[in-house]
Structures are given as C-alpha cells and as structure tokens.
C-alpha cells in the first residue's frame, strides 16, 4: 500500500501554522501574484519565508502556486517573481501554463514543478508529456474516475507522482477553467479573480417580455442550478491508495484555520489508521465522518471517482454552507495559571460550554470560567471582533489548541 502525502491549503500564515500542527505532510500557498486565489490573504515574501521556516522545522513541505493562465503582460513579472522565490526556498511550484513552466525551469532549474489541475490532465499521454519536460508531479483533473487514475499509474514512470483532490468545493466548469465570472463581472477566474457565479440564484426571462422574471425550478427543488456539493473521500481512502495516488489534496485556500485544522486532523488520523491496518481504519469510520462534519461544507459527494455524477451531486434549494461549529479562537500562548491568550473570532461568554480541539485528536468539553482583557479587566463576554483576551477554561490548554462552539 502507498503511503500518500496529505496536502492542505493555507491562505494565510496563521492557517499554514495550524495546518502543519494539525497533521499536514505538505501545505500549498499563494504569493501576492500568479496564483488563482486573488481574494485570499496570500503571502508576502516575508510571510512566505516565515511559513516555510516554520513548516521545514517540523518536517513539512511547502508548495507555492503560480497556476494562472498567463497573458503576455504576465511573463516578465513571472521571471522576476521566480527570482525572488530563490531566496525563500519553497519545495515546489504548482504551474499550469507552459510559458510559465518554461520560465520556472530557466530561473529555478533545481526546483520541483507540479502541474496544476488547471492544465486539464486527463490521460497518461499528458502525464508523460509533462514528465518529459521535467515535471515531478501532475495533479489529476477532477473529472477522472478511480479506474482512469489507476490506468494512468500503470502507464507512467514510478517516479512521476499523481496528486488528486479528495476534499473540498467542486467547480462547475471543466477542471476549474471557467469563463462565467469574466463574462458576468469582468473578473477572470483563470487569473485568480473568480466571483463564484455558479453559487448564485438564477431566474429565466423571455425575450419579448423584459422584466418578467420566471424562476428556474427543477421539480420544485430550487433555482441554484450550478451549485455542486463538496467532495469528500474520507470513507474511500483505500480505493485512492489502490489506484496509485501519491498526494491527497484538500481544496480551500479561502477557508478558515478551523476548517484547515478539522480536515487535516481527520484525514491525518484516517491515513495513520489505514497505514496500521485496514481493519483499524474501518473501525474508526464513524469518528472520521463525525469529525469532518464539524467544519463548514455544502453536503458531500464522491465527485467523478465512481462514475460521472448525476443530479444528486447538485444542491438546488440554497447555496449556504452547513455550519455545525463556530470558530472562537486559537490559543496563542498560555500562562503559569493555565489561562490561554487568544484573538476573539466570534462572541462567547463566561459560563458557556465550548469545545477545546487539540491536534492529537482529543476534543475536551470545557466551561469558560473567566475572560480578561490585556489590561486585566474582567469581561462577561468577548463581543469585540479580534480582541485579544485571556481565557480561563479550567482545563489543560496549549498553544495551537482551537476553541469552537457547537451550534
């Protein structure tokens, strides 16, 4: 059995650190240019250096996205950007555009290059093409079945790695190459500025009756005709490993630290159990499913892995997430009395029962005994967004523990 890498997204330095602590083998991030998540916080050069140092000190790799579909005006800047990355030292670049690939090979000849899913990698001929140019890894198109991935593995060299999305949002367009955002808003999804119009509610208007909007309804279920469910393969990891996948990729560079921690910890536990035995993995399936449901999601599907999805892979009634837990904060440090310091992310109050989420898999139910501001003043609640407060939970707390509340 293969022992795959667990690859977690990080849209900020805080999320990178949480992903590392909660079980990632590797983290992928975007710089301030050339990535496909322009609305993410992304990383300055200094933050990228700090994040890479933090990850490397704990044996975790960091990959940097440069996977836009480039225009002429992007090429000169790409060369300068890659020159800057020499000093920062990521473990690999994620690229989709052949022109950007060529520049990266010229500027960073020793750097690993991974071919993004944006390059529409749907057959072993494509994998062999990129391998011949020096790529170390190819990210499979999301439209591939497990049978197709297994066939690719059978036709490519063992040292060419297959990376596959296993969890997160599904794009309505082929391998994420979408023109809808650009057409409707002028913001190009292929340049990192997607406005996600696939999640919008649509109506129908007949040409000769302008202003008369008719709802688009399928069997009275709703009007969100492009709104796909989220991918989740936590119950099917043996099939992915048997197909020859080397890296299990989670989508979500726009997501919170709570999301990164929840997904990373759950998949880490599942992979470790599976490495020990398939029986142990099967015994703990209910725990994995319960835990993965504690982060925000839009119902789950297995995507294309077991055949082309039908109408059951869409959500017609609304575009909202299922949200079972609220993120309250991350323990940034503790004092001699056992209190923890955190930045408030959502309101909580003295006397509330909340959950302390730990990297080792434990969830401790605790009570908020006291809240104190940095000047030593007691508070009955923490209502001010991003306020730094000391919190006494009457329980063992450590740096990077996460506070969350069940809704």
């Amino acid at each position: 059995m293969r022992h795959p890498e667990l690859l977690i997204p990080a849209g900020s330095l805080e999320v990178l650190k949480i992903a590392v602590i909660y079980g990632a083998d590797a983290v992928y991030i975007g710089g301030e240019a050339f990535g496909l998540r322009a609305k993410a916080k992304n990383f300055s050069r200094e933050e990228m250096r700090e994040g890479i140092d933090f990850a490397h000190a704990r044996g975790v790799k960091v990959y940097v996205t440069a996977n836009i579909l480039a225009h002429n005006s992007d090429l000169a800047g790409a060369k300068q950007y890659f020159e800057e990355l020499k000093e920062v030292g990521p473990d690999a670049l994620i690229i989709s555009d052949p022109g950007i690939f060529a520049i990266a090979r010229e500027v960073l000849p020793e750097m690993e290059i991974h071919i993004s899913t944006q390059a529409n990698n749907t057959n072993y001929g494509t994998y062999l093409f990129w391998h011949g140019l020096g790529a170390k890894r190819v990210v499979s198109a999301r439209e591939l079945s497990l049978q197709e991935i297994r066939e690719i593995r059978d036709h490519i060299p063992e040292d060419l790695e297959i990376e596959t999305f296993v969890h997160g949002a599904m794009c309505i367009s082929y391998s994420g190459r979408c023109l809808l955002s650009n057409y409707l808003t002028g913001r190009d999804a292929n340049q990192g500025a997607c406005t996600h119009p696939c999640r919008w509610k649509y109506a129908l208007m007949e040409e000769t009756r302008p202003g008369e909007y008719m709802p688009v309804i399928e069997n009275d279920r709703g009007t969100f005709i492009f709104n796909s469910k989220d991918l989740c393969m936590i119950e099917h990891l043996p099939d992915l490993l048997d197909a020859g996948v080397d890296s299990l990729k989670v989508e979500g560079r726009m997501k919170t630290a709570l999301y990164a921690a929840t997904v990373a910890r759950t998949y880490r536990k599942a992979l470790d159990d599976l490495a020990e035995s398939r029986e142990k993995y099967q015994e703990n399936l209910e725990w994995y499913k319960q835990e993965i449901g504690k982060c925000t999601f839009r119902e789950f599907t297995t995507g294309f892995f077991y055949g082309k999805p039908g109408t059951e892979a869409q959500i017609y009634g609304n575009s909202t997430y299922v949200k079972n837990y609220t993120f309250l904060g991350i323990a940034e440090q503790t004092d001699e009395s056992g209190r923890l310091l955190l930045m408030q992310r959502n309101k909580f109050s003295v006397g509330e029962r909340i959950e302390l989420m730990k990297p080792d898999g434990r969830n401790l139910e605790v009570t908020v005994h006291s809240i104190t501001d940095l000047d030593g003043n007691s508070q009955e609640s923490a209502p001010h967004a991003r306020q730094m407060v000391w919190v006494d939970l009457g329980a063992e707390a450590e740096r990077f523990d996460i506070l969350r509340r069940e809704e």
Side-chain angles (χ1 to χ4, degrees), residues 245-352:
V245 175
D246 297 283
S247 180
L248 306 181
K249 187 172 194 172
V250 174
E251 180 276 337
R253 280 199 293 123
M254 303 286 287
K255 300 293 180 64
T256 66
L258 176 59
Y259 178 90
T262 303
V263 176
R265 191 180 72 161
T266 306
Y267 276 87
R268 174 81 277 140
K269 167 72 171 165
L271 287 170
D272 290 348
D273 288 347
L274 185 55
E276 187 173 328
S277 72
R278 295 204 178 199
E279 290 73 22
K280 185 172 183 180
Y281 170 79
Q282 290 294 332
E283 289 171 3
N284 289 324
L285 270 179
E286 287 306 313
W287 186 88
Y288 312 144
K289 291 192 290 185
Q290 179 183 2
E291 287 300 308
I292 211 70
K294 292 182 179 180
C295 61
T296 55
F297 63 96
R298 287 190 187 91
E299 302 180 30
F300 289 134
T301 176
T302 55
F304 291 79
F305 285 120
Y306 298 99
K308 293 182 180 179
T311 56
E312 74 285 350
Q314 300 294 116
I315 305 170
Y316 299 95
N318 63 70
S319 64
T320 59
Y321 285 100
V322 177
K323 183 180 179 182
N324 296 318
Y325 279 74
T326 296
F327 180 30
L328 303 180
I330 302 168
E332 299 190 13
Q333 66 182 76
T334 59
D335 65 12
E336 62 282 353
S337 66
R339 297 185 307 166
L340 59 88
L341 178 68
L342 62 82
M343 179 187 292
Q344 181 263 46
R345 305 307 171 92
N346 283 286
K347 181 181 177 181
F348 61 97
S349 304
V350 173
E352 274 194 70

Side-chain angles (χ1 to χ4, degrees), residues 368-389:
V368 180
H369 291 298
S370 69
I371 302 172
T372 308
D373 67 19
L374 296 184
D375 295 322
N377 301 309
S378 296
Q379 300 180 187
E380 286 303 308
S381 66
H384 307 299
R386 305 185 74 80
Q387 181 188 14
M388 298 297 299
V389 291

